[in-house]
Amino acid sequence: MQLSREDLLKAYRRMVMIREFEEAVHEEFSAGSIPGFVHLYAGEEASGVGVCMHLNDNDYIASTHRGHGHCLAKDCDEHAMMLEIFGKKEGLCGGKGGSMHIADLSKGMMGANGIVGGGPPLICGAALTAKTLKTGGVAVAFVGDGASNQGTVFESYNLAKILNLPAIFVVEDNGYAEATSSRYSVAGSQVNRGKAFDIPAVEVDGSDFFAVWEAAREAVERARNGGGPSLIHSRVLRYYGHFEGDAMTYRPADEVANYRAQKDPLMQFRRRVTEAGLLDGSALDEIDRSVKDRIAQCVVQAKSAPEPTEADLLTDVYISY
Amino acid sequence: MQLSREDLLKAYRRMVMIREFEEAVHEEFSAGSIPGFVHLYAGEEASGVGVCMHLNDNDYIASTHRGHGHCLAKDCDEHAMMLEIFGKKEGLCGGKGGSMHIADLSKGMMGANGIVGGGPPLICGAALTAKTLKTGGVAVAFVGDGASNQGTVFESYNLAKILNLPAIFVVEDNGYAEATSSRYSVAGSQVNRGKAFDIPAVEVDGSDFFAVWEAAREAVERARNGGGPSLIHSRVLRYYGHFEGDAMTYRPADEVANYRAQKDPLMQFRRRVTEAGLLDGSALDEIDRSVKDRIAQCVVQAKSAPEPTEADLLTDVYISY
Amino acid sequence: MAKKSYRQAISEALRQEMERDHRVIVLGEDIAGGAGGDAEQDAWGGPMGVTKGLLPLFGRERVIDTPITESGFIGAAVGAAATGLRPVADLMFVDFMGVCFDQIFNQAAKFKYMFGGKATTPVVIRTMYGAGFRAASQHSQCLYNIFTHIPGLKVALPSNPYEAKGLMIQAIRDDDPVIFFEHKAMYDMEGEVPDESYAIPFGQANVTREGDDATIIAFGRMVNFANTVADKLSKEGITCTVVDPRTTSPLDTETILETAAETGRVVVVDEAHPRCNMATDVSALICQEAFDKLKAPIKMVTAPHAPVPFSAALEDLYIPSMDKIEAAVRSVTGKSH
Amino acid sequence: MAKKSYRQAISEALRQEMERDHRVIVLGEDIAGGAGGDAEQDAWGGPMGVTKGLLPLFGRERVIDTPITESGFIGAAVGAAATGLRPVADLMFVDFMGVCFDQIFNQAAKFKYMFGGKATTPVVIRTMYGAGFRAASQHSQCLYNIFTHIPGLKVALPSNPYEAKGLMIQAIRDDDPVIFFEHKAMYDMEGEVPDESYAIPFGQANVTREGDDATIIAFGRMVNFANTVADKLSKEGITCTVVDPRTTSPLDTETILETAAETGRVVVVDEAHPRCNMATDVSALICQEAFDKLKAPIKMVTAPHAPVPFSAALEDLYIPSMDKIEAAVRSVTGKSH
Ligand SMILES: Cc1ncc(C[n+]2csc(CCOP(=O)(O)OP(=O)(O)O)c2C)c(N)n1
Ligand SMILES: Cc1ncc(C[n+]2csc(CCOP(=O)(O)OP(=O)(O)O)c2C)c(N)n1
Ligand SMILES: [Mg+2]
Ligand SMILES: [Mg+2]
């Protein structure tokens, strides 16, 4: 399996989409137009996109509180997402979910999740459906470094292994859980944690799209071929605070700047594909431009879109009651 | 550190006490004199005793639903325990706890536990107390093979490691969780699970008192010396059903008989100490006899002891309310 | 119609639904029993034998023994329900909710609302509740009030074998998450249960007795206690209406309010601890909506505010008894012995 | 006396108790913040900054950042309490109870009873609750009714800074397990708070307003709503008694029954979902014990039976409003505009 030109363009477009989306949300949050708890994925783009490039609508992912990037990587509509984050009626979840609960099951996106460690058991379920109904699908749980200590995650490793489920656990280790360093909170190693359950596990540089893509290719193939679960430890960095409003005093002042300068995933991707002559800069520039426009448009529309009304308050609680 | 003659006699006495206690409970349950859910430890004696020989009243253990053996190994009073199992007012817990909730905090016994995986977090707490108040104590959680898959257990491994707690996790693997074989339910290995958290972990033959004692010696020493947590995977077998009343059709018919014949922990102990000339058979016979008498006496008294009364129903809910 | 036990009724419902719909699976700890071992494979069928016999019919793909990881497998059931299966997961004792409640109340219950109506999560969680087994504090609780509190969940409490079969079939066919409470002291209770499949709609109370002097609203096993008390008192000429709401969520407020209004004298019987329970829920409802029809204070008969004790002597005092129900009825009717 | 915020009041209580008793420790996720990192070590003090400043005073031995393992560290707090410490654990949002409830309701709450009175478990669990933050379904729940239901737990709901300090000090000194509910929309609320240490006893309601026409019983943040409504209506000559029970368990039933009897017209205000909540609990209590004094139906003002919505527009409609409380008072008093 190889990345075609179309794949590369798609991957880049998705990564830029995430970056622009998050930058816009950052700006709008700072300006006071977005309420609630908002966690941005900027900086981690290559990880989510590198994984989701292998997935189709028949495959499921479960995300975390830091969900925008995974949604966009899984092809959720950016316009409906932006509306949702603004709490609008035409938002992807009717304004009822917001940033922490964006989902689109028709795209195989099972939801961001406000509960740390909430996703992995759900993904075992999606994988069980795939296995039982023989849909050919696989299921991926994204897990933060902080989340990797939650009991539900280990339970899911074990369950996925003993039921031989087509499940993949991607531990996106951005070095922090809120203000706590993973150097403090995580005993042992992510890879050994996987291996302790006899789950094949690898570590990758999550800022390198191609490294993630390759690791995910193996894991997805294994899952599709009945080989059971895999674990990928993807090292990344988040560019913004834990949530919007976080002063980030627990981080060295230059941490993000250095990373941006040396390892920014978009920059790395661009350098790699242009140096290898796979794509030329102008095609990428064109994506940059069009995505920027698109997101700007989404923001404008989100601002003026109608709010939900009292009639919406009590719908969607049950299917029948 | 060496086992003195007194230690050997004490260890044997405790193991015989457990065996006789459980045989008596088995008989009385079959006869209908004991109500509720009762899980017997017979067959696993060397494991609990091998560990608890290193502990004093200042050290804590947390047990499981299969708690009688751990209680006796930690020196809880057999008479008060028997009364408790019969639900009597003078029982160790006033008849309010029963088999699944025997505790004696004054002996460092934090309780049997009806919740699988309930104990390890509690033991982290006892170890935290020891560390914070510098009591010199250590804390031990007993964990079944089935329990070893519960999320709380992994959370405790991680917490104990990162806080460098004087905690020891003893996974008593008797091959079954209820009717489910650990060959099915446990992915990977117990030792690798410990090591995945950088916790020193060893496997021992839990039917061999001396093997357990030696492994526990190292772990307890490490904990007392500020070396943090350890894990011991102790392989054992239970002689009776999961609970009293279990027909055990999930087990090969001769499994227990073969084990009893070849690996019975009391038999092994007796052979080892007599062959090595450490103790003579008559001293052990004397223990057998006196313990048997003692337990028979406990049963007789438990049967005729008074029940709790309505006045006891609403006491002990709060200290003040 | 044949006499069947509560156990058999539930088992039959599961079997018939699994035959009808290949998406229905059952999973839980020892739901079959024997996995990985060298002897009988369908050794348990759950600790009470309810699911025994399903494994030979449907195989390990649809009758799944799980490790002891309630968050893991209940969460997996929820995730499977959201993606196309119709799982029936077994939370062996409701007392174990504390290790997996998140997957029930924050995930299953809220998907539909949080996701703007686009998710469907047809999961059933079977669970055992109630005192009377000398099973002590961690294996004897009721806790259905906690699930009833949570919007997005439905809660069924079958009071006899007939109800158990019909409510289970409805639970499986229902597109919302359902928590199905089985009382551990009722598995051997027998009653007439049709062989054919039938669903009892949720939110429609069953009036098991009709009377003029008082209305007893009772839940789960307590319905039987209430019936017995009503039968006894009727011999004295004190007649009671007995209401079995069947489900606490949805709750048939209409029948409750109507029957309460008819007699104006109400007793609510709930095996649970007294605070924030179904007895308070129903009392408050009536007091708000049918106050003018009340002729006497509403009496609640519940367990005390204490954990469930182990000792048989204490547990018998603990459980709301027929004597206490009878006394409450006499008190609201003003008709003492 | 100085004006202090709810945040400062709680922080001060923690500091003073930690100074007084070396066995008091605090632990939780980012309770200090910055552990293992290369920059500020007291970076957060919890997400709301309540515990900021404790680390420099008491060090990492007593101000313990934990991994995200609520069962693990809440359980550890329970175990530590049973063995000699007096831990104050932070369950960041009460919505996270689903991953650790077992350690609270089956362990901490039951030790004393199950073990025949021989255990003491003086643990405090601080937790954030309530809507109004646009924090959506999984970060906005109340859920205190669930803890209130459980025998063995005490539940405190401070309604302002003064209450917060005094109830926290009592919580720490109390020998039973206490769940301490802090409303996330109240941290910046200011009020007079004495500098010195003081404990407010549990189970003693505070009557914040006295009146003749109606009795409003409200919980937590809703006490302030009720006070405002009472003040507004008093200008019209409708006077209300407002009762802040302070703790839901123990509950000051005496004050509730007395004040309910005095006016005979009762409104209960509870921010929680409506089923099996404190509004039903108090209504049922009054209806059973003070029925003869009631002159009108008891009205309950609560959130609806739906998860908490994200959208500001919806959330504002969702939270029990002063308008709704006012309407309820008018309805029970029969005095409309
Ligand atoms: C069960 C639970 N505990 C705690 C939280 C609060 N919380 C939200 S995000 C977070 C940190 C998560 O860290 P990590 O998993 O590394 O993900 P990241 O934020 O770095 O993407 C915490 C503690 C929560 N939402 N759920
Ligand atoms: C949380 C929880 N889940 C399930 C149970 C029911 N249960 C009691 S003991 C047991 C099996 C435990 O197996 P293991 O840990 O191997 O201990 P063993 O019985 O073999 O000593 C189960 C499933 C429980 N008590 N608590
Ligand atoms: Mg992180
Ligand atoms: Mg076992």
Side-chain angles (χ1 to χ4, degrees):
Chain A
M1 192 179 161
Q2 277 290 319
L3 280 159
S4 68
R5 187 185 152 80
E6 282 62 49
D7 290 337
L8 291 171
L9 289 169
K10 178 169 151 190
Y12 186 70
R13 196 181 148 80
R14 282 183 174 177
M15 290 198 290
V16 174
M17 182 72 82
I18 295 172
R19 177 66 57 86
E20 290 298 330
F21 192 94
E22 298 296 60
E23 298 283 5
V25 171
H26 177 69
E27 216 161 286
E28 293 303 321
F29 189 95
S30 309
S33 358
I34 294 174
F37 293 121
V38 174
H39 310 80
L40 301 182
Y41 194 72
E44 310 189 14
E45 296 85 353
S47 185
V49 174
V51 170
C52 292
M53 281 296 291
H54 298 283
L55 309 180
N56 57 52
D57 288 357
N58 194 30
D59 299 317
Y60 286 93
I61 68 167
S63 176
T64 69
H65 55 288
R66 198 174 302 289
H68 307 169
H70 301 135
C71 290
L72 291 166
K74 197 71 173 58
D75 217 18
C76 291
D77 181 65
E78 62 274 10
H79 182 252
M81 280 176 60
M82 190 64 82
L83 260 64
E84 185 59 33
I85 290 168
F86 276 78
K88 298 307 174 76
K89 185 173 167 64
E90 300 302 325
L92 196 48
C93 303
K96 286 171 172 168
S99 168
M100 270 195 294
H101 305 297
I102 299 182
D104 188 346
L105 285 144
S106 71
K107 295 281 186 183
M109 165 62 202
M110 293 187 78
N113 209 311
I115 303 299
V116 168
L122 298 170
I123 260 348
C124 288
L128 183 62
T129 298
K131 183 185 164 203
T132 309
L133 300 183
K134 302 186 178 40
T135 68
V138 305
V140 179
F142 291 97
V143 177
D145 51 286
S148 79
N149 296 318
Q150 192 70 295
T152 54
V153 174
F154 302 106
E155 294 190 5
S156 301
Y157 292 170
N158 189 56
L159 190 63
K161 181 65 191 181
I162 75 154
L163 297 181
N164 195 38
L165 298 177
I168 296 157
F169 302 97
V170 182
V171 179
E172 292 187 325
D173 177 358
N174 59 14
Y176 297 96
E178 295 184 347
T180 298
S181 168
S182 56
R183 295 202 300 259
Y184 170 79
S185 72
V186 179
S189 82
Q190 302 295 347
V191 163
N192 284 344
R193 288 171 175 207
K195 288 185 175 164
F197 297 89
D198 276 349
I199 293 180
V202 294
E203 181 178 328
V204 298
D205 178 348
S207 72
D208 176 352
F209 168 81
F210 296 95
V212 176
W213 186 87
E214 186 54 35
R217 189 184 59 74
E218 262 190 52
V220 171
E221 253 177 48
R222 181 179 299 123
R224 289 211 205 282
N225 295 334
S230 307
L231 185 151
I232 297 171
H233 177 191
S234 171
R235 288 193 181 273
V236 293
L237 201 78
R238 63 166 151 80
Y239 285 177
Y240 291 108
H242 169 65
F243 47 40
E244 288 302 276
D246 176 6
M248 292 201 277
T249 59
Y250 52 86
R251 303 179 84 166
D254 51 2
E255 189 182 49
V256 172
N258 287 343
Y259 192 94
R260 270 196 195 253
Q262 288 154 30
K263 292 183 66 92
D264 180 78
L266 302 192
M267 186 187 75
Q268 277 192 64
F269 184 96
R270 177 182 278 264
R271 193 191 304 141
R272 173 93 169 256
V273 295
T274 51
E275 281 178 10
L278 298 169
L279 296 176
D280 54 35
S282 63
L284 302 176
D285 294 343
E286 171 49 29
I287 289 177
D288 289 352
R289 250 191 318 273
S290 77
V291 168
K292 210 178 186 68
D293 287 354
R294 171 68 175 148
I295 294 296
Q297 202 185 18
C298 290
V299 170
V300 169
Q301 291 173 348
K303 283 185 177 171
S304 61
E307 310 272 341
T309 64
E310 185 144 19
D312 301 309
L313 183 63
L314 301 183
T315 55
D316 303 329
V317 184
Y318 294 94
I319 290 170
S320 62
Y321 198 66
Chain B
M1 192 181 163
Q2 278 289 319
L3 280 158
S4 66
R5 187 184 150 81
E6 282 63 49
D7 290 336
L8 290 172
L9 289 169
K10 178 169 150 191
Y12 185 70
R13 195 182 148 81
R14 281 184 174 177
M15 290 198 290
V16 174
M17 182 72 82
I18 295 173
R19 178 67 56 86
E20 291 298 329
F21 192 95
E22 297 298 59
E23 298 284 4
V25 171
H26 177 69
E27 217 162 284
E28 294 303 321
F29 188 95
S30 309
S33 0
I34 295 174
F37 293 122
V38 175
H39 310 80
L40 302 182
Y41 194 72
E44 310 189 14
E45 296 86 352
S47 185
V49 174
V51 170
C52 292
M53 281 297 290
H54 298 282
L55 309 180
N56 56 53
D57 288 357
N58 192 31
D59 300 316
Y60 286 92
I61 69 166
S63 176
T64 69
H65 56 287
R66 197 173 301 289
H68 307 169
H70 301 136
C71 291
L72 292 166
K74 197 72 172 56
D75 216 18
C76 291
D77 182 65
E78 62 274 9
H79 181 252
M81 280 177 60
M82 190 64 83
L83 260 64
E84 186 58 34
I85 290 168
F86 276 78
K88 298 307 175 75
K89 186 172 166 65
E90 301 303 324
L92 195 49
C93 304
K96 286 172 173 168
S99 168
M100 270 194 293
H101 306 297
I102 299 182
D104 189 346
L105 284 144
S106 71
K107 296 280 186 185
M109 166 61 202
M110 293 187 78
N113 209 310
I115 303 299
V116 168
L122 298 170
I123 260 347
C124 288
L128 184 62
T129 299
K131 183 185 164 202
T132 309
L133 300 183
K134 302 186 177 40
T135 67
V138 305
V140 179
F142 291 96
V143 176
D145 51 287
S148 80
N149 296 318
Q150 193 70 293
T152 54
V153 175
F154 302 105
E155 294 190 5
S156 301
Y157 292 171
N158 189 56
L159 189 63
K161 180 67 190 179
I162 76 154
L163 297 182
N164 195 39
L165 299 177
I168 296 157
F169 302 98
V170 181
V171 180
E172 291 188 324
D173 177 358
N174 59 14
Y176 297 95
E178 294 184 348
T180 298
S181 169
S182 56
R183 295 202 300 259
Y184 169 79
S185 72
V186 180
S189 82
Q190 302 293 350
V191 163
N192 284 343
R193 288 171 176 207
K195 289 186 174 164
F197 296 89
D198 276 349
I199 295 179
V202 294
E203 181 178 328
V204 298
D205 178 347
S207 73
D208 176 353
F209 168 81
F210 295 95
V212 176
W213 186 88
E214 186 54 35
R217 189 184 59 74
E218 263 189 52
V220 171
E221 253 177 47
R222 182 179 298 123
R224 288 210 206 281
N225 296 333
S230 306
L231 185 149
I232 298 171
H233 177 191
S234 172
R235 288 194 181 274
V236 292
L237 201 80
R238 62 167 151 81
Y239 286 177
Y240 291 107
H242 168 65
F243 47 42
E244 288 303 276
D246 176 7
M248 293 201 278
T249 60
Y250 51 86
R251 303 179 85 166
D254 51 2
E255 190 182 50
V256 172
N258 287 344
Y259 192 94
R260 270 193 194 255
Q262 288 155 31
K263 291 184 67 90
D264 181 77
L266 303 190
M267 185 187 75
Q268 278 192 64
F269 184 96
R270 176 182 279 264
R271 192 191 302 141
R272 173 92 170 256
V273 295
T274 51
E275 282 177 10
L278 298 168
L279 296 175
D280 54 36
S282 64
L284 302 175
D285 294 344
E286 171 49 29
I287 289 177
D288 289 352
R289 251 191 318 274
S290 78
V291 168
K292 212 181 185 67
D293 287 355
R294 171 67 176 150
I295 294 296
Q297 201 186 21
C298 291
V299 170
V300 169
Q301 292 174 347
K303 283 185 176 169
S304 61
E307 310 272 341
T309 65
E310 185 144 19
D312 301 309
L313 183 63
L314 301 183
T315 55
D316 303 328
V317 183
Y318 294 93
I319 291 170
S320 62
Y321 197 66
Chain C
M1 259 212 304
K3 273 224 186 282
K4 287 168 196 157
S5 69
Y6 195 75
R7 173 186 291 105
Q8 287 170 317
I10 298 166
S11 180
E12 193 169 281
L14 290 168
R15 182 172 53 70
Q16 290 179 347
E17 285 302 292
M18 290 181 79
E19 279 163 356
R20 190 185 60 80
D21 186 344
H22 72 285
R23 296 168 307 168
V24 178
I25 63 165
V26 297
L27 73 169
E29 292 155 15
D30 296 295
I31 196 83
D38 295 326
E40 197 190 354
Q41 284 301 295
D42 192 27
W44 270 35
M48 299 296 172
V50 175
T51 44
K52 193 158 170 94
L54 295 178
L55 179 64
L57 289 174
F58 303 106
R60 287 237 173 253
E61 290 271 311
R62 294 178 65 199
V63 181
I64 304 174
D65 279 329
T66 67
I68 307 173
T69 52
E70 282 85 2
S71 281
F73 79 79
I74 300 265
V78 171
T83 55
L85 291 178
R86 301 187 79 90
V88 181
D90 180 40
L91 177 58
M92 196 181 290
F93 290 77
V94 72
D95 312 71
F96 307 161
M97 64 164 282
V99 297
C100 62
F101 192 41
D102 184 70
Q103 292 291 333
I104 302 172
F105 95 112
N106 274 331
Q107 314 294 340
K110 295 183 175 48
F111 279 173
K112 190 170 169 57
Y113 194 81
M114 288 191 309
F115 301 163
K118 283 173 202 143
T120 312
T121 313
V123 65
V124 178
I125 298 172
R126 290 179 50 222
T127 193
M128 227 186 318
Y129 77 103
F133 237 63
R134 319 320 184 192
S137 305
Q138 293 176 341
H139 286 73
S140 304
Q141 297 166 88
C142 286
L143 305 180
Y144 38 77
N145 59 306
I146 294 179
F147 296 85
T148 303
H149 178 66
I150 305 296
L153 298 181
K154 293 178 175 174
V155 180
L157 277 135
S159 61
N160 64 43
Y162 177 86
E163 298 286 324
K165 180 172 175 182
L167 289 170
M168 176 54 88
I169 288 174
Q170 174 59 34
I172 294 173
R173 295 182 187 174
D174 204 286
D175 283 328
D176 292 308
V178 178
I179 321 296
F180 190 88
F181 280 81
E182 306 172 11
H183 198 295
K184 64 176 75 65
M186 284 173 61
Y187 285 112
D188 292 325
M189 175 187 189
E190 300 219 317
E192 298 290 336
V193 178
D195 292 334
E196 65 274 14
S197 189
Y198 59 95
I200 299 178
F202 285 175
Q204 298 191 11
N206 186 25
V207 177
T208 63
R209 298 287 186 278
E210 300 207 46
D212 299 320
D213 299 308
T215 302
I216 312 177
I217 298 147
F219 295 91
R221 184 181 183 212
M222 293 294 121
V223 173
N224 303 295
F225 284 29
N227 286 337
T228 306
V229 169
D231 293 345
K232 177 178 174 202
L233 288 174
S234 75
K235 287 175 197 142
E236 276 185 44
I238 305 175
T239 64
C240 298
T241 293
V242 177
V243 180
D244 172 4
R246 285 174 166 152
T247 53
T248 59
S249 184
L251 184 71
D252 183 351
T253 54
E254 213 172 297
T255 301
I256 289 172
L257 291 172
E258 247 174 56
T259 55
E262 274 162 22
T263 65
R265 300 173 191 280
V266 180
V267 171
V268 194
V269 188
D270 183 354
E271 191 190 317
H273 308 304
R275 305 297 312 282
C276 300
N277 67 0
M278 280 308 302
T280 72
D281 188 82
V282 167
S283 296
L285 169 76
I286 296 170
C287 187
Q288 180 172 282
E289 304 296 336
F291 179 75
D292 296 339
K293 305 292 165 70
L294 286 177
K295 300 175 189 152
I298 301 175
K299 280 271 171 205
M300 297 181 282
V301 182
T302 71
H305 189 64
V308 183
F310 165 66
S311 133
L314 292 182
E315 197 184 30
D316 288 342
L317 291 165
Y318 180 92
I319 299 170
S321 64
M322 294 190 234
D323 284 352
K324 284 184 194 138
I325 299 169
E326 182 183 329
V329 173
R330 290 188 189 279
S331 148
V332 298
T333 57
K335 296 179 185 175
S336 54
H337 263 301
Chain D
M1 253 201 317
K3 273 223 186 283
K4 287 167 197 157
S5 69
Y6 194 75
R7 173 185 293 107
Q8 288 169 318
I10 298 166
S11 181
E12 192 168 283
L14 291 168
R15 183 172 53 71
Q16 291 180 347
E17 286 302 293
M18 290 182 79
E19 279 162 357
R20 191 185 59 80
D21 185 345
H22 72 286
R23 297 168 305 166
V24 178
I25 63 165
V26 297
L27 72 170
E29 293 155 16
D30 296 295
I31 197 82
D38 295 325
E40 198 190 353
Q41 285 301 295
D42 191 28
W44 271 35
M48 299 295 172
V50 175
T51 44
K52 193 159 170 93
L54 296 178
L55 179 65
L57 290 174
F58 303 106
R60 287 237 173 255
E61 290 272 312
R62 293 179 63 199
V63 182
I64 303 174
D65 279 326
T66 67
I68 307 173
T69 52
E70 282 85 2
S71 282
F73 79 79
I74 300 265
V78 171
T83 55
L85 291 178
R86 301 187 78 90
V88 181
D90 180 40
L91 176 59
M92 197 181 291
F93 290 76
V94 71
D95 312 70
F96 307 161
M97 64 164 282
V99 298
C100 61
F101 192 41
D102 184 70
Q103 292 292 334
I104 302 171
F105 95 111
N106 274 331
Q107 313 294 341
K110 296 184 174 47
F111 278 173
K112 190 170 169 57
Y113 194 81
M114 289 191 308
F115 301 163
K118 283 172 202 142
T120 312
T121 313
V123 65
V124 178
I125 298 173
R126 290 179 49 223
T127 193
M128 228 186 319
Y129 77 102
F133 237 64
R134 321 316 185 196
S137 305
Q138 293 176 341
H139 286 73
S140 304
Q141 297 167 88
C142 286
L143 306 180
Y144 37 77
N145 58 307
I146 294 179
F147 296 85
T148 303
H149 178 67
I150 304 298
L153 299 181
K154 293 178 174 172
V155 180
L157 277 132
S159 61
N160 65 42
Y162 177 86
E163 298 287 322
K165 180 172 176 182
L167 290 170
M168 176 54 87
I169 288 174
Q170 174 59 34
I172 294 172
R173 295 182 187 174
D174 204 286
D175 283 328
D176 291 308
V178 178
I179 321 296
F180 190 88
F181 279 81
E182 305 172 11
H183 198 295
K184 63 175 76 64
M186 283 172 61
Y187 285 113
D188 293 326
M189 175 186 188
E190 301 219 317
E192 298 291 333
V193 178
D195 292 335
E196 65 274 13
S197 189
Y198 60 95
I200 299 177
F202 285 175
Q204 299 191 11
N206 187 25
V207 177
T208 63
R209 298 287 185 280
E210 301 208 45
D212 299 320
D213 299 308
T215 302
I216 311 177
I217 298 146
F219 295 90
R221 184 181 183 211
M222 293 294 122
V223 173
N224 304 296
F225 285 30
N227 285 338
T228 306
V229 169
D231 292 345
K232 178 179 173 200
L233 288 174
S234 76
K235 288 176 198 142
E236 275 185 45
I238 306 175
T239 64
C240 298
T241 294
V242 177
V243 180
D244 173 4
R246 285 175 167 152
T247 53
T248 58
S249 184
L251 184 70
D252 183 351
T253 55
E254 213 173 295
T255 301
I256 289 171
L257 292 172
E258 247 175 55
T259 55
E262 273 162 21
T263 65
R265 302 175 190 278
V266 179
V267 171
V268 194
V269 188
D270 182 354
E271 191 190 318
H273 308 305
R275 305 297 311 283
C276 301
N277 66 2
M278 280 309 301
T280 72
D281 189 82
V282 168
S283 296
L285 169 76
I286 297 170
C287 187
Q288 179 172 286
E289 304 297 336
F291 179 75
D292 296 338
K293 304 292 166 68
L294 285 177
K295 300 175 188 152
I298 301 174
K299 281 272 171 205
M300 296 181 281
V301 183
T302 71
H305 189 63
V308 183
F310 165 66
S311 133
L314 293 181
E315 197 184 30
D316 289 342
L317 292 164
Y318 180 91
I319 299 171
S321 64
M322 293 188 232
D323 285 352
K324 283 183 195 139
I325 300 169
E326 182 182 328
V329 173
R330 289 188 188 280
S331 147
V332 299
T333 56
K335 296 179 183 172
S336 54
H337 262 298

